[in-house]
């Protein structure tokens, strides 16, 4: 309990996957967790994806160490009021509230940009005005690179696309030197990129200790999976409930690296403990934990038995990556104590167990061939 003292951690998107795991972690260390979330996820993806249930989870886990505000990050007056209350006691601002889906963003670009870009600016300004000594962590995305990863030389294998072995990114994945310019990002990619660069700028220009984490797929049992967001989570939900799963394009051979929220939060702790200003890190499962959709389906079959009813093939979604594996060596070089604990099998086994606890059901697995 000693590490937190009377120090405050402000977490936006506190009821989401990353927010709730971060809240549990810092709450357990004795920090007062002040959480902000307006359950906008249910507006984006429907009632089934609501994160409101995590209020009870955090309240039970943290008791009086958890204070919740049902506030919108776009509402500067409401956010400033929260910051004014805690002022210089704020040790960390962990900003995770977002519209997180490519596909949804095109439906309402103003809403997407309002939440992702303007909402981030509201959080940065509140930090600068009320808690300039706080550390600021922002969860960005690998979509800031747009579809540039799709121009890498890929080779088709039986179950996955792979990078040409002679390519410099082949051994460790894509590093931060990839261009964020001259590519198709999707509306979501642009709103996140605007926020990403602004967070860096508050570090470089104002000297605030800001860290940008460009995530691959983030996952774990706390994820409220939806068809258009949360690949492994939604796949596991389909498998356990016996619902058909739809693969969008690339023959199911598209590769994603997946980092478990536990390993991600451990990285946040390292950054918080020795912060830098205006840093940006690619953060994902890297070569340690990556998987294609076909491989993930096979692994789920191996772990859970015949659970997945079938898989349809639909057209590829605009701008999605065919192969993306994060090179995390920059973060590892800055924070050598950080280690992965969850590979894909361990993550999947935990997610299946969690989903079986809640969802029940099952089905006959017969993956439809193209
Ligand atoms: N999950 C992934 O695979 C992934 C990958 C890369 C980056 N990211 C980024 O990580 C961050 C966290 O992702 P997550 O998976 O935990 O998302 P999530 O959808 O599970 O959680 C986000 C939370 O923010 C809340 N929220 C949304 N708009 C809000 C607003 N205007 N005001 C207050 N609260 C609001 C939602 O209700 C939700 O509870 C996001 O910035 C996302 O873009 C996620």
């Amino acid at each position: 309990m000693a590490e937190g003292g009377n120090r405050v951690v402000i977490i936006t998107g506190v009821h989401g996957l990353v927010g709730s795991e971060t809240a549990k972690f810092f709450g357990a260390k004795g920090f007062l967790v002040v959480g902000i979330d307006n359950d906008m996820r249910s507006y984006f993806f429907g009632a089934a994806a609501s994160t409101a249930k995590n209020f009870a989870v955090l309240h039970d886990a943290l008791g009086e160490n958890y204070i919740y505000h049902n506030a919108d990050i776009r509402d500067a007056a409401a956010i400033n009021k929260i910051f004014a209350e805690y002022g210089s006691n704020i040790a960390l601002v962990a900003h995770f509230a977002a519209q997180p889906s490519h596909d949804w963003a095109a439906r309402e670009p103003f809403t997407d940009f309002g939440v992702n870009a303007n909402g981030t600016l509201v959080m940065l300004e509140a930090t600068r005005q009320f808690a300039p000594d706080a550390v600021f962590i922002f969860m960005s995305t690998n979509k800031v690179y747009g579809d540039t990863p799709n121009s890498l030389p890929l080779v088709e294998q039986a179950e996955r696309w792979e990078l040409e072995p002679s390519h410099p990114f082949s051994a460790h994945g894509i590093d931060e030197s990839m261009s964020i310019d001259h590519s198709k990002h999707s509306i979501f990619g642009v709103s996140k990129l605007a926020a990403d660069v602004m967070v860096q700028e508050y570090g470089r220009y104002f000297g605030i200790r800001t860290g940008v984490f460009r995530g691959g797929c983030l996952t774990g049992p706390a994820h409220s999976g939806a068809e258009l967001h949360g690949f492994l989570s939604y796949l596991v939900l389909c498998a356990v409930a016996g619902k058909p799963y739809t693969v969008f394009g690339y023959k199911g051979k598209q590769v994603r690296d997946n980092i478990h929220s536990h390993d991600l939060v451990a990285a946040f702790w390292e950054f918080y403990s020795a912060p830098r200003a205006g840093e940006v890190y690619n953060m994902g499962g890297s070569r340690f934990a990556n998987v294609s959709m076909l491989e993930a389906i096979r692994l789920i079959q191996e772990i859970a038995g015949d659970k997945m009813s079938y898989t349809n093939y639909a057209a590829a979604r605009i701008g999605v990556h065919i192969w993306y594996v994060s090179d995390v060596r920059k973060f590892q070089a800055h924070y050598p104590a950080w280690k992965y604990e969850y590979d894909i099998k361990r993550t999947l086994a935990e997610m299946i167990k969690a989903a079986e606890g809640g969802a029940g059901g099952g089905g006959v697995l017969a993956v439809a061939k193209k």
Side-chain angles (χ1 to χ4, degrees):
M1 285 303 220
E3 278 162 306
N6 63 349
R7 312 238 60 203
V8 173
V9 173
I10 293 194
I11 303 178
T12 72
V14 70
H15 291 163
L17 167 72
V18 180
S20 59
E21 296 292 318
T22 307
K24 281 184 234 163
F25 181 94
F26 280 89
K29 286 195 178 291
F31 289 81
L32 177 66
V33 174
V34 175
I36 297 170
D37 201 304
N38 64 353
D39 196 23
M40 213 162 162
R41 191 172 166 96
S42 62
Y43 174 72
F44 301 139
F45 306 123
S50 166
T51 50
K53 59 184 179 297
N54 278 329
F55 168 74
V57 173
L58 293 183
H59 184 71
D60 289 352
L62 306 181
E64 287 183 351
N65 262 0
Y66 181 52
I67 294 174
Y68 167 60
H69 291 274
N70 183 353
D72 190 322
I73 56 161
R74 295 169 294 180
D75 181 350
I79 297 301
N80 288 347
K81 193 162 171 252
I82 297 167
F83 273 70
E85 191 176 341
Y86 300 101
S88 59
N89 281 339
I90 301 170
L92 170 66
V93 178
H95 174 40
F96 308 130
Q99 189 301 108
S101 161
H102 261 313
D103 306 77
W104 195 92
R107 292 184 200 164
E108 293 186 29
F110 275 108
T111 309
D112 175 74
F113 202 84
V115 173
N116 289 351
N118 295 345
T120 298
L121 184 55
V122 167
M123 295 305 302
L124 286 166
E125 253 314 280
T127 305
R128 187 167 81 93
Q129 297 296 336
F130 298 99
D133 294 331
V135 177
F136 190 103
I137 288 175
F138 172 64
M139 204 54 231
S140 182
T141 167
N142 59 23
K143 305 301 183 302
V144 300
Y145 299 119
D147 59 3
T148 298
N150 289 355
S151 59
L152 293 170
L154 298 177
V155 194
E156 185 173 356
Q157 298 182 347
E159 278 193 325
R160 63 156 54 205
W161 295 98
E162 245 319 326
L163 193 50
E164 179 65 52
S166 60
H167 193 279
F169 290 156
S170 174
H172 302 285
I174 294 168
D175 70 22
E176 296 82 0
S177 69
M178 179 165 270
S179 171
I180 53 172
D181 210 352
H182 304 295
S183 65
K184 187 192 277 182
H185 289 80
S186 83
I187 302 303
F188 161 78
V190 174
S191 65
K192 291 294 284 189
L193 177 56
D196 175 313
V197 182
M198 192 62 96
V199 174
Q200 291 184 57
E201 202 57 29
Y202 267 63
R204 290 171 199 269
Y205 196 92
F206 293 122
I208 294 174
R209 291 162 310 161
T210 61
V212 173
F213 291 78
R214 292 181 173 159
C217 288
L218 322 177
T219 200
H223 212 179
S224 304
E227 183 165 25
L228 297 182
H229 175 66
F231 148 53
L232 279 189
S233 167
Y234 190 70
L235 188 59
V236 166
L237 285 181
C238 287
V240 170
K243 274 177 35 183
Y245 179 80
T246 306
V247 169
F248 291 90
Y250 305 121
K251 305 182 195 173
K253 296 183 182 184
Q254 54 272 56
V255 170
R256 304 273 175 275
D257 64 340
N258 285 266
I259 184 165
H260 192 286
S261 46
H262 171 93
D263 291 340
L264 182 64
V265 175
F268 296 155
W269 174 251
E270 294 297 327
F271 185 82
Y272 167 75
S273 303
R276 293 163 172 256
E279 276 298 352
V280 56
Y281 300 106
N282 284 356
M283 181 49 62
S286 75
R287 275 293 183 199
F288 180 78
N290 65 86
V291 72
S292 74
M293 288 198 178
L294 291 185
E295 289 165 352
I297 289 167
R298 179 172 50 71
L299 283 170
I300 290 173
Q301 287 177 296
E302 280 169 25
I303 298 167
D306 288 347
K307 289 282 173 84
M308 183 156 270
S309 55
Y310 59 85
T311 302
N312 296 315
Y313 288 89
R317 288 147 58 195
I318 295 173
V320 298
H321 296 150
I322 306 170
W323 181 93
Y324 194 95
V325 172
S326 316
D327 182 348
V328 299
R329 285 179 303 159
K330 178 179 173 191
F331 186 81
Q332 285 170 328
H334 288 184
Y335 301 100
W338 178 74
K339 301 270 182 294
Y340 287 109
E341 288 188 20
Y342 281 81
D343 62 11
I344 292 287
K345 273 194 173 171
R346 184 171 175 199
T347 298
L348 276 176
E350 190 184 291
M351 290 172 79
I352 290 168
K353 207 169 156 207
E356 282 176 340
V364 180
L365 182 63
V367 180
K369 296 280 181 296
K370 192 177 180 187

